[in-house]
Amino acid sequence: MSEQTQQRGTSQARRVVVAGAGMAGVQTAVALREQGFTGTVTLIGAEPHQPYDRPPLSKAVLLGKAEGSAFDVDFEALGIDLRLGREVLGVRPAEHELDTEAGPVPYDALVLATGAEPIRLPGAEGVPGVHLLRTLDDAERLRPVLARQHDIVVVGAGWIGAEFATAAREAGCAVTVVEAADRPLAGALPAEVAAPMAAWYEDSGAVLRTHARVERVEPGAVILDDGSRLPAGAVVVGIGARPATAWLAGSGVELGTHGEVVADDHLRTSVPDVYAVGDCASFPSGRYGERLLVHHWDNALQGPRTVAANILGETPAVYDPVPYFWSEQFGRFVQYAGHHAAADTTLWRGDPSGPAWTVCWLKDGRLVALLAVGRPRDLAQGRRLIEAGTPMNQELLADPARPMKAAVA
């Protein structure tokens, strides 16, 4: 970075405050230092714990194979002022101040990185034995539940439900997963793609009940709307998450239909000097021609680099990634890249009843998304093909023995 660029950026923003100490917030603070920002960086987190990574919570931490998942970041050495156990309460843009439980914090640039919060099951609040799985404290409360090998009912057959069910079966628990839709991952994948995944539950020894709605939860049981009574030493709710933005009410920061912060393609909000990144923000994708709200780890890793560059006042960086995420469930490594909503062609590579297969989505002959089960090479090559917008030969692409990169038109 040139001295002139650094001086221009840091003269515009001497004090950067980041609200939220999850992946997006931590990476924003780190990226600012890596890109040469020399002003003050204040990172504010609601939890008392050292900032930590979330994916291990549903795996190693939950099963007692790891005590925690703290980020390997030396905040002191980077000159990052870490303020933990402080809830953010509001923003007053006119005064350039962030309100917190410990009082107002002035800023020149503010980054909103408060992530998402789990949706609670109506009527289950306060019932003993009902759990969420979003925080380190949640995982630590669930560890002894798994160790005691309780009968467990999981509400929701999405990504988190499948991952928790996997861990619970590994721990020796009896697991029943109830899902209101007709299939797992109904909100994420088309029916023909999600259908083969239903068999994974049975193969693992878990029971999957679809078309099943929870009527109520009682201590020790879940009652379904058809009158079924499921014994439940514990209930784990995984019915989705929503952006953690209720605290922004009245701030003037524009929120979208899902309650997310509406950011532009530079991750700037509707309010001057305020940016948003990670699970709490949507952004317009030029690649896909629509606004995306991406609740996944990779988005929280990539976006901070754009935010840091824009705060520094360099050539404004546009944020338009190929979304990516992964899930480990029932002995399978599942990866997804892209966005398939507008695809006009679905193409399979391999047999979905087998251990390894890939689904490709194309639009106008170009790859726009893929789901790879046990085929990491397909994912790596496919992601690059999506980024490049390369026309594909569909006949060659359908051959699972042929590398995807060799199937270009």
Side-chain angles (χ1 to χ4, degrees):
M1 183 192 308
S2 71
E3 184 176 345
Q4 180 181 4
T5 299
Q6 183 172 341
Q7 287 177 345
R8 182 176 70 246
T10 56
S11 65
Q12 290 173 345
R14 291 298 308 172
R15 300 168 301 179
V16 177
V17 175
V18 183
M23 168 63 83
V26 167
Q27 290 300 323
T28 297
V30 170
L32 282 163
R33 292 300 188 220
E34 288 179 344
Q35 295 183 30
F37 180 71
T38 58
T40 63
V41 177
T42 303
L43 181 61
I44 299 174
E47 294 182 56
H49 310 290
Q50 278 292 113
Y52 60 87
D53 204 5
R54 293 189 188 278
L57 298 185
S58 61
K59 306 173 183 73
V61 175
L62 189 62
L63 290 169
K65 298 177 180 179
E67 286 306 309
S69 55
F71 292 115
D72 185 18
V73 174
D74 190 334
F75 295 99
E76 186 176 356
L78 289 171
I80 296 170
D81 179 11
L82 189 58
R83 303 183 188 181
L84 301 175
R86 300 190 182 186
E87 191 108 17
V88 289
L89 304 176
V91 181
R92 286 176 288 119
E95 291 80 17
H96 273 60
E97 286 188 336
L98 175 72
D99 288 322
T100 76
E101 287 180 325
V105 181
Y107 66 83
D108 294 313
L110 173 64
V111 182
L112 308 177
T114 46
E117 56 194 4
I119 297 172
R120 298 177 181 273
L121 185 64
E125 291 89 348
V127 178
V130 177
H131 299 263
L132 300 167
L133 181 53
R134 182 72 182 181
T135 68
L136 180 59
D137 288 341
D138 292 337
E140 290 181 343
R141 279 190 289 267
L142 279 162
R143 275 166 66 167
V145 173
L146 267 59
R148 289 193 295 269
Q149 297 187 333
H150 276 298
D151 288 348
I152 293 177
V153 173
V154 180
V155 182
W159 300 112
I160 193 68
E163 290 183 3
F164 178 81
T166 299
R169 286 299 300 140
E170 186 175 333
C173 300
V175 178
T176 300
V177 181
V178 296
E179 169 59 50
D182 62 349
R183 63 188 187 275
L185 295 167
L189 296 173
E192 69 272 18
V193 177
M197 299 177 176
W200 300 356
Y201 289 77
E202 183 179 357
D203 292 345
S204 76
V207 175
L208 173 65
R209 295 191 58 163
T210 56
H211 299 286
R213 294 186 177 275
V214 175
E215 180 71 28
R216 65 185 185 278
V217 179
E218 300 175 351
V222 173
I223 315 301
L224 302 182
D225 62 357
D226 66 357
S228 300
R229 183 183 183 89
L230 307 178
V235 178
V236 176
V237 179
I239 55 175
R242 59 167 64 93
T245 57
W247 64 282
L248 290 168
S251 67
V253 174
E254 182 185 354
L255 302 181
T257 55
H258 301 284
E260 84 282 9
V261 178
V262 175
D264 69 7
D265 58 2
H266 300 285
L267 298 182
R268 298 173 298 206
T269 74
S270 60
V271 170
D273 303 319
V274 179
Y275 300 78
V277 67
D279 289 4
C280 72
S282 67
F283 58 90
S285 170
R287 185 189 312 276
Y288 291 106
E290 62 180 284
R291 179 166 288 277
L292 300 183
L293 176 59
V294 180
H295 280 187
H296 292 297
W297 186 90
D298 191 66
N299 180 51
L301 175 67
Q302 303 293 342
R305 298 167 190 164
T306 296
V307 170
N310 287 323
I311 288 174
L312 276 159
E314 298 176 337
T315 302
V318 169
Y319 189 60
D320 194 9
V322 172
Y324 166 75
F325 71 90
W326 80 97
S327 177
E328 295 176 80
Q329 52 184 268
F330 307 117
R332 293 166 172 83
F333 186 43
V334 183
Q335 296 172 284
Y336 178 97
H339 182 64
H340 66 265
D344 54 32
T345 302
T346 303
L347 185 148
W348 294 77
R349 287 169 57 82
D351 181 358
S353 66
W357 45 274
T358 296
V359 178
C360 301
W361 287 275
L362 299 96
K363 182 179 181 183
D364 300 329
R366 301 172 192 271
L367 193 66
V368 293
L370 79 156
L371 176 85
V373 176
R375 292 181 64 95
R377 183 175 297 178
D378 276 5
L379 190 288
Q381 295 182 8
R383 192 176 183 182
R384 289 192 288 269
L385 291 167
I386 295 170
E387 288 172 347
T390 308
M392 305 300 296
N393 180 311
Q394 294 186 28
E395 184 178 347
L396 300 180
L397 186 61
D399 180 359
R402 185 182 297 272
M404 288 188 68
K405 64 182 181 181
V408 298

